[in-house]
Coordinates of all heavy atoms in Angstrom, one line a residue:
A134 N -5.5 30.3 -12.7 CA -5.8 30.7 -14.0 C -7.0 31.6 -14.0 O -7.1 32.6 -14.8 CB -6.1 29.4 -15.0
L135 N -8.0 31.3 -13.2 CA -9.2 32.2 -13.1 C -8.8 33.6 -12.7 O -9.3 34.6 -13.2 CB -10.1 31.6 -12.2 CG -11.0 30.4 -12.7 CD1 -11.8 29.7 -11.6 CD2 -11.9 30.7 -13.9
R136 N -7.9 33.8 -11.6 CA -7.5 35.1 -11.0 C -6.7 35.7 -12.1 O -6.9 36.9 -12.4 CB -6.7 34.8 -9.8 CG -7.4 34.3 -8.6 CD -6.6 34.4 -7.4 NE -7.2 33.7 -6.3 CZ -7.0 32.4 -5.9 NH1 -6.1 31.7 -6.6 NH2 -7.7 31.9 -4.9
L137 N -5.8 35.1 -12.9 CA -5.0 35.8 -13.8 C -5.9 36.3 -15.1 O -5.7 37.3 -15.6 CB -3.9 34.8 -14.3 CG -2.7 34.5 -13.4 CD1 -1.8 33.5 -14.0 CD2 -2.0 35.9 -13.0
A138 N -6.8 35.4 -15.5 CA -7.6 35.7 -16.6 C -8.7 36.8 -16.4 O -8.9 37.7 -17.2 CB -8.4 34.5 -17.0
T139 N -9.0 36.9 -15.2 CA -10.1 38.0 -14.8 C -9.6 39.2 -14.0 O -10.2 40.3 -14.1 CB -11.3 37.4 -14.2 OG1 -10.7 36.8 -12.8 CG2 -11.8 36.1 -14.9
G140 N -8.5 38.9 -13.3 CA -8.0 40.0 -12.4 C -9.0 40.3 -11.2 O -8.9 41.4 -10.6
L141 N -9.7 39.2 -10.9 CA -10.6 39.4 -9.7 C -10.4 38.5 -8.7 O -9.9 37.4 -8.9 CB -12.1 39.1 -10.4 CG -12.6 40.0 -11.4 CD1 -14.0 39.5 -11.9 CD2 -12.9 41.5 -10.8
P142 N -10.8 38.9 -7.4 CA -10.7 37.9 -6.4 C -11.7 36.8 -6.5 O -12.7 37.0 -7.2 CB -10.9 38.8 -5.1 CG -11.0 40.2 -5.5 CD -11.2 40.2 -7.0
L143 N -11.5 35.7 -5.9 CA -12.1 34.4 -6.3 C -13.0 34.1 -5.0 O -12.5 34.0 -3.9 CB -11.2 33.3 -6.7 CG -11.9 32.3 -7.7 CD1 -12.3 33.1 -8.9 CD2 -10.8 31.2 -8.1
Q144 N -14.4 33.8 -5.2 CA -15.2 33.1 -4.2 C -15.5 31.8 -4.7 O -16.3 31.6 -5.8 CB -16.4 34.0 -4.0 CG -16.1 35.5 -3.6 CD -15.5 35.5 -2.1 OE1 -15.8 34.7 -1.3 NE2 -14.5 36.5 -1.9
V145 N -15.2 30.7 -4.0 CA -15.4 29.4 -4.6 C -16.5 28.7 -3.7 O -16.5 28.7 -2.5 CB -14.0 28.5 -4.5 CG1 -14.2 27.1 -4.9 CG2 -13.0 29.2 -5.3
A146 N -17.4 27.9 -4.6 CA -18.4 27.1 -4.0 C -18.1 25.6 -4.8 O -17.3 25.5 -5.7 CB -19.7 27.5 -4.3
V147 N -18.7 24.6 -4.2 CA -18.5 23.3 -4.7 C -19.7 22.8 -5.4 O -20.8 22.9 -4.9 CB -18.0 22.3 -3.7 CG1 -17.8 20.8 -4.2 CG2 -16.7 22.8 -2.9
A148 N -19.5 22.1 -6.6 CA -20.8 21.5 -7.3 C -20.2 20.2 -8.0 O -19.1 20.2 -8.3 CB -21.4 22.3 -8.2
A149 N -21.1 19.3 -8.1 CA -20.7 18.1 -9.1 C -20.4 18.3 -10.3 O -21.1 19.3 -11.0 CB -21.9 17.0 -9.0
P150 N -19.4 17.8 -11.0 CA -19.0 18.2 -12.4 C -20.2 18.0 -13.4 O -20.2 18.7 -14.4 CB -17.9 17.4 -12.7 CG -17.8 16.3 -11.6 CD -18.5 16.8 -10.5
G151 N -21.0 17.0 -13.2 CA -22.0 16.7 -14.2 C -23.1 17.9 -14.2 O -23.6 18.3 -15.1
E152 N -23.3 18.4 -12.9 CA -24.2 19.6 -12.8 C -23.8 20.8 -13.5 O -24.5 21.5 -14.1 CB -24.6 19.8 -11.3 CG -25.2 18.7 -10.5 CD -26.7 18.7 -10.8 OE1 -27.1 19.4 -11.5 OE2 -27.3 17.8 -10.1
I153 N -22.4 20.9 -13.2 CA -21.7 22.1 -13.8 C -21.8 22.1 -15.3 O -22.1 22.9 -16.1 CB -20.3 22.3 -13.4 CG1 -20.3 22.6 -11.9 CG2 -19.5 23.2 -14.2 CD1 -18.9 22.6 -11.3
D154 N -21.5 20.8 -16.0 CA -21.5 20.6 -17.4 C -22.8 20.9 -18.0 O -22.9 21.5 -19.1 CB -20.9 19.2 -17.8 CG -19.5 19.1 -17.4 OD1 -18.9 20.0 -17.1 OD2 -19.0 17.8 -17.5
K155 N -23.8 20.4 -17.2 CA -25.2 20.6 -17.8 C -25.6 22.0 -17.8 O -26.2 22.6 -18.8 CB -26.2 19.9 -16.8 CG -27.6 19.9 -17.3 CD -28.6 19.0 -16.4 CE -30.0 19.1 -16.9 NZ -30.9 18.2 -16.0
A156 N -25.3 22.8 -16.8 CA -25.6 24.3 -16.8 C -24.8 25.0 -18.0 O -25.4 25.9 -18.7 CB -25.3 24.9 -15.4
L157 N -23.6 24.6 -18.1 CA -22.7 25.2 -19.3 C -23.4 24.8 -20.6 O -23.5 25.8 -21.6 CB -21.4 24.8 -19.1 CG -20.4 25.3 -17.9 CD1 -19.1 24.6 -17.9 CD2 -20.2 26.8 -18.0
A158 N -23.7 23.7 -20.7 CA -24.3 23.3 -22.1 C -25.7 23.9 -22.2 O -25.9 24.4 -23.4 CB -24.6 21.8 -22.1
D159 N -26.5 24.2 -21.2 CA -27.8 24.9 -21.4 C -27.5 26.3 -21.8 O -28.1 26.8 -22.7 CB -28.5 24.9 -20.1 CG -29.2 23.5 -19.9 OD1 -29.2 22.6 -20.9 OD2 -29.7 23.2 -18.8
R160 N -26.5 26.9 -21.1 CA -26.2 28.3 -21.5 C -25.6 28.5 -22.9 O -26.0 29.4 -23.6 CB -25.1 28.9 -20.5 CG -24.8 30.3 -20.7 CD -23.8 30.9 -19.7 NE -22.5 31.2 -20.3 CZ -21.6 31.7 -19.7 NH1 -21.7 32.0 -18.3 NH2 -20.4 32.0 -20.3
A161 N -24.9 27.5 -23.3 CA -24.3 27.4 -24.6 C -25.4 27.3 -25.7 O -25.3 27.9 -26.8 CB -23.2 26.3 -24.8
A162 N -26.4 26.5 -25.4 CA -27.6 26.3 -26.3 C -28.3 27.6 -26.4 O -28.8 27.9 -27.5 CB -28.4 25.1 -25.7
E163 N -28.5 28.3 -25.3 CA -29.2 29.6 -25.4 C -28.5 30.6 -26.1 O -29.0 31.3 -27.1 CB -29.5 30.1 -24.0 CG -30.4 29.2 -23.2 CD -30.4 29.7 -21.7 OE1 -29.9 30.6 -21.4 OE2 -31.0 28.9 -20.9
A164 N -27.1 30.7 -26.0 CA -26.2 31.6 -26.8 C -26.3 31.2 -28.3 O -26.4 32.0 -29.1 CB -24.9 31.5 -26.3
A165 N -26.4 29.9 -28.6 CA -26.3 29.4 -30.1 C -27.6 29.8 -30.7 O -27.7 30.2 -31.8 CB -26.2 28.0 -30.0
A166 N -28.8 29.8 -29.9 CA -30.1 30.2 -30.4 C -30.2 31.7 -30.7 O -30.8 32.1 -31.7 CB -31.2 29.7 -29.6
D167 N -29.4 32.5 -29.9 CA -29.5 33.9 -30.1 C -28.6 34.4 -31.1 O -28.6 35.4 -31.7 CB -29.2 34.6 -28.7 CG -30.3 34.5 -27.8 OD1 -31.3 34.2 -28.2 OD2 -30.0 34.5 -26.6
D168 N -27.6 33.5 -31.5 CA -26.5 33.8 -32.5 C -27.2 33.9 -33.8 O -27.9 33.0 -34.2 CB -25.5 32.7 -32.4 CG -24.3 33.1 -33.2 OD1 -24.1 34.2 -33.7 OD2 -23.3 32.2 -33.3
D169 N -26.7 35.0 -34.6 CA -27.3 35.1 -36.0 C -26.5 34.3 -37.0 O -26.7 34.5 -38.3 CB -27.5 36.6 -36.3 CG -26.2 37.3 -36.2 OD1 -25.0 36.6 -36.1 OD2 -25.9 38.5 -36.5
G170 N -25.7 33.6 -36.6 CA -24.9 32.8 -37.6 C -23.4 33.1 -37.6 O -22.6 32.4 -38.3
A171 N -23.0 34.0 -36.8 CA -21.5 34.3 -36.7 C -20.8 33.2 -36.1 O -21.4 32.4 -35.2 CB -21.2 35.6 -35.9
A172 N -19.6 32.8 -36.5 CA -18.9 31.6 -36.0 C -18.6 31.9 -34.5 O -18.3 32.9 -34.0 CB -17.7 31.5 -36.8

Side-chain angles (χ1 to χ4, degrees):
L135 288 170
R136 291 190 188 95
L137 289 174
T139 63
L141 297 170
L143 214 56
Q144 304 292 323
V145 176
V147 181
E152 299 279 4
I153 291 173
D154 291 349
K155 184 176 180 180
L157 289 171
D159 286 346
R160 183 176 113 172
E163 294 167 8
D167 293 335
D168 191 1
D169 62 0

